[in-house]
Amino acid sequence: MTRTIVVSGGGTGIGKAVATRFAACGDRVAIVGRRADVLEKVAKEIGGTALPADLSEPAEVERVRADLAERFGTIDVLVNNAGGNVEGRGGSDGVAERWMGNFRANVLTSVLPTEAFRDLLNPSGRIVFISSIAAFRGSGGTSYGPMKAALHPYAFDLAAALGPRGITVNVVAPGFIEDTEFFGEALDDERRVMLVEQTQTGRAGTPQDIAETVHWLASSGGGHVTAQIIQVNGGAERGR
């Protein structure tokens, strides 16, 4: 059966890999993000639909909701992947500015679409949040880790609220994932080696690793898995 999948931050990295994985199975995929040109390129590649929007803005979220309802009527899977560590970008040096920046980028971009789209979800629907290893062990003094951690209890409460409808809600928390825009220009060879050495598998993660986990959670095989945080980090959170 063809399903309707919505992936935020679907133009690059993990989001693109997730969108591509579902599209490869014949699902209808809508990708949402701020950069229209990037989204349009990926949508063309995978045969999906691009819906440019800033998901930290309520009015834009409502516009996307109306578009989804008109195009598809209902949705089956919502993957809240949009986010990133925005501290240090744009010259905002105040504590409030830095924390609010990551709140908007990582909390609002997940909570606003989830609340807006939840009534569009079909029975046996799926919601997946993309968190981070930083939610467990910190993010080097930035507000990124605390903001990702805020999604965990929200997902637990949501799982309880939506469980009677047959909808599962889970969190996937990646560790170091290569081939994304997360680090920008900040990842040098020394730091990469350090991050890989923290794993027990001896390798960096890939966007495909996360895509496979999300796809399984959205499958019939993951139907009795809810209110869980799935860490995909090669054992790095445990240390070596």
Side-chain angles (χ1 to χ4, degrees):
M1 181 182 70
T2 301
R3 300 179 297 175
T4 299
I5 318 297
V6 179
V7 182
S8 69
T12 61
I14 290 172
K16 179 181 178 181
V18 170
T20 301
R21 181 67 176 85
F22 281 103
C25 292
D27 290 318
R28 292 181 294 265
V29 180
I31 53 176
V32 189
R34 290 179 294 111
R35 294 177 291 178
D37 56 337
V38 174
L39 289 181
E40 292 289 353
K41 181 180 178 181
V42 174
K44 185 176 181 180
E45 290 176 4
I46 68 173
T49 301
L51 300 176
D54 182 346
L55 293 178
S56 69
E57 295 291 341
E60 295 199 32
V61 173
E62 288 302 322
R63 174 174 55 79
V64 172
R65 185 206 178 280
D67 200 343
L68 290 170
E70 181 178 357
R71 288 173 183 266
F72 308 114
T74 59
I75 63 177
D76 297 285
V77 180
L78 172 62
V79 182
N80 291 294
N81 168 72
N85 189 355
V86 303
E87 286 200 27
R89 303 178 191 175
S92 294
D93 296 324
V95 173
E97 289 82 3
R98 295 198 305 271
W99 280 68
M100 281 303 298
N102 267 334
F103 174 73
R104 289 177 61 86
N106 295 285
V107 179
L108 287 187
T109 56
S110 288
V111 173
L112 292 181
T114 299
E115 293 300 317
F117 305 165
R118 60 191 284 178
D119 66 319
L120 297 180
L121 280 162
N122 283 317
S124 301
R126 305 282 192 263
I127 298 175
V128 181
F129 295 93
I130 303 299
S131 176
S132 171
I133 191 174
F136 292 90
R137 66 180 193 182
S139 49
T142 75
S143 59
Y144 174 71
M147 295 307 161
K148 285 299 190 184
L151 297 176
H152 298 184
Y154 174 59
F156 300 155
D157 288 343
L158 201 61
L162 299 181
R165 289 173 53 193
I167 296 170
T168 67
V169 184
N170 291 288
V171 179
V172 174
F176 170 45
I177 304 295
E178 286 193 310
D179 299 323
T180 75
E181 296 182 345
F182 181 82
F183 290 99
E185 303 295 325
L187 184 65
D188 56 26
D189 290 342
E190 183 178 357
R191 189 177 183 190
R192 181 191 179 280
V193 169
M194 177 195 72
L195 291 171
V196 171
E197 286 181 344
Q198 291 175 355
T199 71
Q200 296 175 2
T201 56
R203 71 169 178 88
T206 69
Q208 289 70 34
D209 289 324
I210 309 305
E212 290 295 335
T213 304
V214 172
H215 191 265
W216 177 77
L217 285 170
S219 72
S220 59
H224 200 49
V225 179
T226 195
Q228 301 300 311
I229 303 171
I230 312 298
Q231 295 201 62
V232 186
N233 57 39
E237 191 269 331
R238 302 293 184 185
R240 294 190 65 184

